[in-house]
Amino acid sequence: MRTSFEGLRCGVCECELREDYFSLSKRSQTVTATPSGNVVMVSEDELVTDFCGIECSDYAEVAITSTLTTPYPSGDGKTVPCSLCLRPVDRRQPHVSVCMAKLEDASKPWLVTANVRDERELAVYCVNCAQPHRARHAEPQRDDSTSVAFARI
């Protein structure tokens, strides 16, 4: 039976993935407030790389967040500072986000899939730092032209 992690290797240590693994993704998204809470509408999602376990995902997360001005976006939910330049990002408008997800394979003989067990948003970018709907091509840059770590992993 095929699995969601079949043939995939860790982006840090290059070992084969197991049933529980982590994934780093860049996405174009819009956040909409509803009476039952915020709904994230993802219009484009690109897998950057996978990690075999918590040690490798933590290593990559530290490498990524250390390059950011403000990692782990927080705020009123509608507007947060850009993780690079600190300009306000209206989350109700399309924007680029970087997330780390903990996945568990849930494949069946007729379906290759994984369940998301946990997810953390590591960064949010304004349209000047990364263009939404171009997440595949968005490589956020610092003002001094230093590349963000996730683009190099």
Side-chain angles (χ1 to χ4, degrees):
M1 177 174 83
R2 294 192 56 211
T3 64
S4 63
F5 58 90
E6 186 175 319
L8 299 177
R9 295 196 168 274
C10 178
V12 172
C13 71
E14 297 186 10
C15 73
E16 290 184 11
L17 299 185
R18 299 177 295 271
E19 185 174 315
D20 294 322
Y21 58 99
F22 293 81
S23 285
L24 179 68
S25 65
K26 268 189 299 192
R27 55 179 66 149
S28 292
Q29 66 182 30
T30 305
V31 179
T32 304
T34 68
S36 59
N38 288 339
V39 174
V40 178
M41 304 293 284
V42 177
S43 58
E44 186 176 316
D45 193 350
E46 178 193 3
L47 171 67
V48 176
T49 193
D50 294 303
F51 305 102
C52 63
I54 190 75
E55 296 84 12
C56 288
S57 68
D58 282 352
Y59 175 84
E61 187 171 325
V62 168
I64 294 163
T65 57
S66 70
T67 67
L68 303 173
T69 306
T70 58
Y72 307 107
S74 61
D76 64 8
K78 295 177 186 169
T79 305
V80 296
C82 173
S83 294
L84 285 180
C85 71
L86 300 177
R87 287 184 186 106
V89 178
D90 183 349
R91 294 169 62 81
R92 297 168 293 181
Q93 300 300 315
H95 61 279
V96 174
S97 173
V98 176
C99 297
M100 180 75 76
K102 180 178 181 182
L103 303 173
E104 177 183 68
D105 183 64
S107 298
K108 307 289 185 213
W110 62 90
L111 179 68
V112 175
T113 188
N115 292 325
V116 177
R117 294 295 177 203
D118 187 34
E119 185 173 78
R120 287 184 313 282
E121 190 170 52
L122 306 182
V124 170
Y125 300 104
C126 70
V127 296
N128 293 321
C129 291
Q131 287 291 312
H133 304 298
R134 293 185 191 163
R136 289 182 207 281
H137 310 291
E139 183 172 326
Q141 297 285 319
R142 290 186 153 290
D143 289 337
D144 64 2
S145 298
T146 303
S147 294
V148 174
F150 75 79
R152 302 279 183 217
I153 294 177

